[in-house]
Amino acid sequence: MTTRIVELRRGILKKNDELAAVLRQRYGAAGVLVLNLVSSPGTGKTAFLERTLRDLRAKGARVAALVGDLETDNDARRLAASGAPVRQINTHGICHLDADMIDKHLAGWEGVELGALDYLFIENVGNLVCPSSYDLGEGIRVALLSVTEGEDKPLKYPTLFNSADAAVITKMDIAEPCGFNRELALKNINEIRPGIRIFETSAKTGVGMDEWLEYLSAQRNR
Amino acid sequence: MTTRIVELRRGILKKNDELAAVLRQRYGAAGVLVLNLVSSPGTGKTAFLERTLRDLRAKGARVAALVGDLETDNDARRLAASGAPVRQINTHGICHLDADMIDKHLAGWEGVELGALDYLFIENVGNLVCPSSYDLGEGIRVALLSVTEGEDKPLKYPTLFNSADAAVITKMDIAEPCGFNRELALKNINEIRPGIRIFETSAKTGVGMDEWLEYLSAQRNR
C-alpha cells in the first residue's frame, strides 16, 4: 500500500508542478511579483504581512493577499485592516496550499486583476513541513522564524529553509526576554541555505522593515 | 485521482488505528501511562518535557521518552540531560508519528521494558495538523500552546484541540512582553473542547508544574 501511495503522491505533486508552471507564466505576463510566506503556526506571519501590506500601500504600491487556514477567516479580517484586497482560502483539514487552490481563488476574486497588481502575497497554512513540497508558482518563497522558536528550526526542518529564497526572523522586539541566540540562528540558517538573504524584523516596532521593502522593490524590478 | 488517494488514506488510517489498539492494550497490561505531546514547532515541547522528566524522576517515578523529528537528534540529546532513557525517531520527511514507528522503536529499545515504566512520553513532530489523525495508542493526548502564538490557534486548528485530553500553555514567564491575552486563550480552548483540563506552565520558572505532576499521578492511578 505504501508503494501505491508514494506513486499517487508523486502524481499529485507532478500535477501541482505543472499547474504551478502555468501560474508562474501568468504572474510573469501580468508583471506581478508573487511571494509565498511559510512558517510554523504562531511565528507571526499575519502580523508581518499586515505591516508589509500597510507599508507598501503607503509607498503607493498596488498589493493584495491570499491567506490559507484550515478554518476561520480571522487572518483575512486582520489583513483587510491594511486596506488591501484580501481573500481567505479555507483548506478544511488540508495542511498546505496547492496550485489548484490558488488558481481557483484567483479566478473568482471580484475586483482583483493580476495585471493591476505590483505584489501578491500568499500566506500559507501554518506548517513547517508540507507546504515546502507544493510550488504555488511564486517568484519568492519566504521562510519565517520567530525569536520565540528554537534556533535549531532550520536544521530540524531543512526542506523549507533549503527551498526558500529569503528568510525573515520575526518578533525581534522580544528577542531579549526570549533569550534568543541571534548568532546561532543566523549560523543555522546559513548552514542549510548558504548566502540566503535574512531579514531581522519586528512588525510591532518596524525594525528591519525598510530593508525588507527595499529588497521587495529590487526583486520586482529585476 | 483524489478519490483513490482518499480511499488509500482511509486504509492507512484504519491500519494505524488497528495497530494503535494493540499498543493501547500492551500499555495497559504493562501498567504504563503513555502521553502523546502535540504542538506547533517552537511551542517548547522539549523544554516542557525535559522539566517534566526531571521533576518526575526527583519524585522517584520511572520515566522514558520517545521523540519524533524529521531530522537531527538534538531533542533526544536535550531530553537525555534529564537522566531518563530517551530514543529519537527520525521520520525523514514524514510530518507526524504513526503507531508503526512507535511499535518499531519500542521493540528495539535496549534496556527499556514497558513493564518497568510508570510513564512513557511521546513528543510528536512539531505540527498542528497531521499528528491529530494518527492514534499512537496513548492514554492521554496533550495539546500544547505557547504564549507567543496567537490566542486563536484552537479555533484555527480545531482537530488537535478537539481530540486532546489536556491542554498545556507554555512559556508563561514571557506572557507579559508577548502581550498574551490569557482570558481569550482559555475561552478559545474551551470553545473547541469544553471542560478540558488546562495547565498554565513555565519550564523556566517551574510555575504550574506541581499541578501538572499531580494530574499525571492521578491519571496513572485511575
Side-chain angles (χ1 to χ4, degrees):
Chain A
M1 184 174 276
T2 310
T3 318
R4 277 174 68 202
I5 272 280
V6 169
E7 276 168 25
L8 279 169
R9 201 167 276 163
R10 270 200 205 118
I12 285 178
L13 285 175
K14 187 164 173 280
K15 211 179 128 197
N16 185 78
D17 281 350
E18 286 164 3
L19 182 52
V22 173
L23 287 174
R24 183 164 285 117
Q25 209 162 21
R26 204 185 299 165
Y27 302 152
V32 57
L33 180 65
V34 179
L35 295 101
N36 179 6
L37 274 52
V38 185
S39 83
S40 171
T43 298
K45 277 186 300 305
T46 310
F48 177 74
L49 180 50
E50 190 185 340
R51 174 106 199 193
T52 301
L53 293 174
R54 200 148 33 92
D55 291 357
L56 281 173
R57 280 172 53 86
K59 287 176 182 291
R62 301 162 302 168
V63 297
L66 289 170
V67 51
D69 275 299
L70 273 73
E71 305 293 343
T72 81
D73 63 349
N74 291 2
D75 284 1
R77 281 188 282 117
R78 278 174 65 191
L79 291 173
S82 68
V86 178
R87 188 161 200 210
Q88 180 80 46
I89 305 177
N90 277 142
T91 64
H92 303 297
I94 309 285
C95 57
H96 57 267
L97 294 177
D98 63 29
D100 188 52
M101 298 178 198
I102 302 300
D103 186 38
K104 286 206 170 72
H105 284 80
L106 284 176
W109 199 354
E110 215 174 321
V112 174
E113 282 297 326
L114 279 184
L117 291 177
D118 298 316
Y119 303 95
L120 171 66
F121 293 87
I122 303 173
E123 181 183 339
N124 221 308
V125 176
N127 184 335
L128 278 180
V129 186
C130 313
S132 320
S133 305
Y134 289 83
D135 186 3
L136 306 180
E138 70 265 21
I140 296 176
R141 182 176 292 186
V142 186
L144 295 94
L145 175 75
S146 85
V147 300
T148 72
E149 301 171 51
E151 290 86 356
D152 62 351
K153 284 288 165 299
L155 308 181
K156 290 163 80 178
Y157 299 88
T159 324
L160 169 60
F161 285 87
N162 198 33
S163 69
D165 303 293
V168 171
I169 303 176
T170 59
K171 308 191 190 180
M172 283 302 291
D173 55 292
I174 51 169
E176 206 184 305
C178 291
F180 178 63
N181 185 334
R182 176 179 175 269
E183 284 65 37
L184 184 59
L186 297 180
K187 179 176 163 287
N188 288 340
I189 295 172
N190 267 295
E191 191 172 323
I192 297 298
R193 184 72 157 170
I196 190 174
R197 276 294 300 270
I198 305 175
F199 301 90
E200 301 172 54
T201 69
S202 163
K204 202 181 270 177
T205 67
V207 68
M209 294 304 294
D210 283 348
E211 212 182 334
W212 166 244
L213 296 184
E214 274 163 33
Y215 167 79
L216 290 181
S217 172
Q219 292 296 314
R220 195 175 133 53
N221 297 321
R222 263 198 322 186
Chain B
M1 183 176 277
T2 310
T3 317
R4 280 174 66 202
I5 272 280
V6 168
E7 274 168 25
L8 279 167
R9 199 166 277 163
R10 270 199 207 120
I12 285 179
L13 285 176
K14 185 163 173 280
K15 212 180 128 194
N16 185 78
D17 281 350
E18 287 164 4
L19 181 52
V22 173
L23 287 174
R24 184 165 283 117
Q25 208 163 21
R26 204 185 300 164
Y27 303 151
V32 56
L33 180 64
V34 178
L35 295 102
N36 179 5
L37 274 53
V38 184
S39 83
S40 172
T43 298
K45 278 186 298 306
T46 310
F48 176 74
L49 180 50
E50 190 185 340
R51 174 106 200 193
T52 301
L53 293 174
R54 201 150 31 94
D55 292 357
L56 280 172
R57 278 171 55 86
K59 288 176 182 291
R62 300 164 304 168
V63 296
L66 289 171
V67 51
D69 276 299
L70 272 72
E71 305 293 344
T72 82
D73 63 349
N74 291 1
D75 284 2
R77 282 189 282 117
R78 277 174 65 191
L79 291 173
S82 68
V86 178
R87 189 164 199 206
Q88 180 80 48
I89 305 177
N90 277 142
T91 63
H92 303 298
I94 309 286
C95 58
H96 57 265
L97 295 176
D98 63 29
D100 188 51
M101 298 179 197
I102 302 301
D103 186 38
K104 287 206 169 71
H105 283 80
L106 284 176
W109 200 354
E110 214 174 320
V112 174
E113 283 296 327
L114 280 184
L117 291 178
D118 298 317
Y119 302 95
L120 170 66
F121 292 87
I122 304 172
E123 182 184 337
N124 220 307
V125 177
N127 184 335
L128 278 180
V129 185
C130 313
S132 321
S133 306
Y134 288 84
D135 186 3
L136 306 180
E138 71 264 21
I140 296 175
R141 181 175 293 187
V142 186
L144 295 93
L145 176 75
S146 84
V147 300
T148 72
E149 300 169 51
E151 291 87 356
D152 61 353
K153 284 288 163 301
L155 308 181
K156 289 164 79 177
Y157 299 88
T159 323
L160 169 60
F161 285 86
N162 198 34
S163 69
D165 303 293
V168 170
I169 302 176
T170 59
K171 309 190 189 180
M172 283 302 291
D173 55 292
I174 51 168
E176 206 183 305
C178 290
F180 178 63
N181 185 334
R182 176 178 176 269
E183 284 65 38
L184 183 58
L186 298 180
K187 178 176 163 285
N188 287 342
I189 296 172
N190 267 296
E191 190 172 322
I192 297 298
R193 184 73 156 169
I196 190 174
R197 276 295 298 271
I198 305 175
F199 301 90
E200 301 171 55
T201 69
S202 163
K204 200 180 273 178
T205 67
V207 68
M209 293 305 293
D210 284 348
E211 210 182 335
W212 166 244
L213 296 182
E214 274 164 33
Y215 168 79
L216 290 181
S217 171
Q219 291 297 312
R220 197 176 132 53
N221 297 321
R222 263 199 324 189

